[in-house]
Amino acid sequence: MRMIRTAVIGAGRWGGNLIRNVRQSKNLELAAVCDIDERRLQRITSGERDTDAAAILGRADVDAVIITTPPVTHFSLTRAALCSGKHVLCEKPLAMSVAECEELQQASTEGQLCLMVDCTPVYLEEVREARSRIDWRVVSRIHCVRTSTRIPNSIAELMWDLMPHDLGVLHYWLGRLPTHWTHHTRDGRQVVLRSRIEPATELELTVGCEPVPRREIWVSREGETEKFLQLQRQPEPLQTVVAHFAECIRHGRTPLTGAAGALETTKVLGVLALPGTDVRHSHGEQDSTLALSSR
């Protein structure tokens, strides 16, 4: 069976991880690497190298593209790749607005192309196993905590960087995300989102900056609480992500983390960035209620 020739656009830290996992894949072949920084390209020892993404996307011998560039470039690069007939694995977030996500979803559907978002926590064994093991109808509370040592330029940047992970897990577990949320910020370094999903499950997501990063999810049901630490070492989660991407391309399957989940995540985060709910310069605690459109 012919290998799926794959180009990686973006050769930074996370891009380097994906390049390594593509090289180790039994189904993907590293065809090319693209980055505007020639010094990064010099570290790549296999596959063709180019600083021009358009040249990569125009190649007939490239079947799929992995995009690991800054979030504000995801929409334009993903759209160009889909229009060029390439399958796409894009880092989160897929795009920065609902309209952009909808356009990409439509383009992938019309082109019968795989459009997948790398929400790595979904591919952890403990997270995937929990989906079928737990009766989500009796879950009373889910509390997600995700922190980073990196101090962002703004609260909005922090949310777009960290929240897609846990929103993706919630969408995978529950099949949907709520349309109404409340949020508050603490000292300009932490954001808490709260909501409820029927029949009676309380949801809370906390992201922020801490000296020691945390990735924890607590699921409470029938008087007991189970903790998920998301610390899997083997198999490497990214290897599972890459293998799932190849499988979806081969068999025409919908990815576990596709455009539908990315769209719902963007609806949540997009409202947080609307005028009047901008928390980039908040101090202390600030509360507001968020209502998402049902479109």
Side-chain angles (χ1 to χ4, degrees):
M1 185 179 294
R2 186 177 74 87
M3 298 286 278
I4 300 169
R5 289 179 57 79
T6 305
V8 177
I9 301 179
R13 181 186 64 84
W14 198 247
N17 291 333
L18 278 157
I19 289 169
R20 171 172 52 80
N21 278 276
V22 169
R23 284 175 175 157
Q24 296 171 356
S25 171
K26 298 178 180 179
N27 294 292
L28 303 182
E29 175 187 352
L30 184 64
V33 176
C34 178
D35 199 287
I36 59 175
D37 189 338
E38 293 186 358
R39 293 172 298 178
R40 289 177 177 171
L41 292 179
Q42 291 172 1
R43 300 196 295 264
I44 308 301
T45 58
S46 63
E48 296 185 30
R49 296 169 288 181
D50 204 315
T51 58
D52 183 4
I56 296 291
L57 297 177
R59 288 176 47 173
D61 64 333
V62 172
D63 306 306
V65 176
I66 297 177
I67 297 172
T68 64
T69 54
V72 293
T73 67
H74 289 180
F75 170 69
S76 59
L77 286 171
T78 300
R79 180 177 60 179
L82 293 171
C83 289
S84 299
K86 317 297 184 191
H87 303 282
V88 178
L89 168 59
C90 182
E91 278 306 311
K92 51 79 185 166
L94 177 60
M96 305 298 288
S97 75
V98 170
E100 289 176 346
C101 284
E102 290 176 333
E103 182 175 340
L104 296 178
Q105 186 177 34
Q106 181 177 352
S108 65
T109 300
E110 291 177 350
Q112 296 183 322
L113 296 165
C114 176
L115 175 56
M116 177 173 163
V117 180
D118 176 18
C119 184
T120 307
V122 168
Y123 296 90
L124 298 170
E125 284 186 346
E126 64 171 353
V127 171
R128 296 182 68 174
E129 182 267 342
R131 185 188 192 188
S132 58
R133 175 175 57 82
I134 294 175
D135 183 354
W136 297 99
R137 294 170 299 178
V138 300
V139 170
S140 58
R141 189 169 188 267
I142 304 176
H143 183 201
C144 307
V145 176
R146 186 172 297 268
T147 63
S148 171
T149 58
R150 185 179 67 85
I151 299 177
N153 295 320
S154 67
I155 287 292
E157 179 185 323
L158 179 72
M159 291 187 296
W160 280 98
D161 183 35
L162 297 182
M163 278 190 174
H165 293 288
D166 293 320
L167 288 170
V169 171
L170 291 178
H171 184 269
Y172 173 67
W173 276 346
L174 304 173
R176 58 194 172 97
L177 294 176
T179 56
H180 292 83
W181 295 79
T182 61
H183 85 282
H184 66 267
T185 64
R186 298 170 180 161
D187 301 323
R189 297 171 65 89
Q190 190 177 80
V191 182
V192 179
L193 285 184
R194 292 191 180 97
S195 188
R196 178 182 293 271
I197 196 163
E198 297 299 335
T201 304
E202 295 181 358
L203 305 178
E204 182 172 320
L205 284 76
T206 302
V207 298
C209 304
E210 293 183 337
V212 178
R214 288 191 292 161
R215 299 175 182 178
E216 302 167 352
I217 302 177
W218 289 271
V219 176
S220 301
R221 66 190 190 282
E222 299 177 329
E224 297 182 356
T225 298
E226 183 174 359
K227 186 176 182 179
F228 297 84
L229 289 173
Q230 305 174 67
L231 296 175
Q232 177 174 307
R233 296 288 184 262
Q234 295 294 332
E236 182 181 355
L238 266 185
Q239 191 60 228
T240 306
V241 169
V242 167
H244 185 65
F245 182 47
E247 179 185 8
C248 290
I249 294 172
R250 290 260 192 237
H251 303 289
R253 295 175 182 168
T254 301
L256 295 178
T257 51
L263 175 60
E264 290 203 31
T265 293
T266 302
K267 285 182 178 180
V268 176
L269 295 176
V271 170
L272 291 172
L274 287 174
T277 61
D278 188 349
V279 293
R280 287 175 296 177
H281 304 292
S282 65
H283 298 282
E285 293 201 359
Q286 174 180 337
D287 293 280
S288 68
T289 299
L290 312 176
L292 310 184
S293 76
S294 58
R295 55 180 293 191

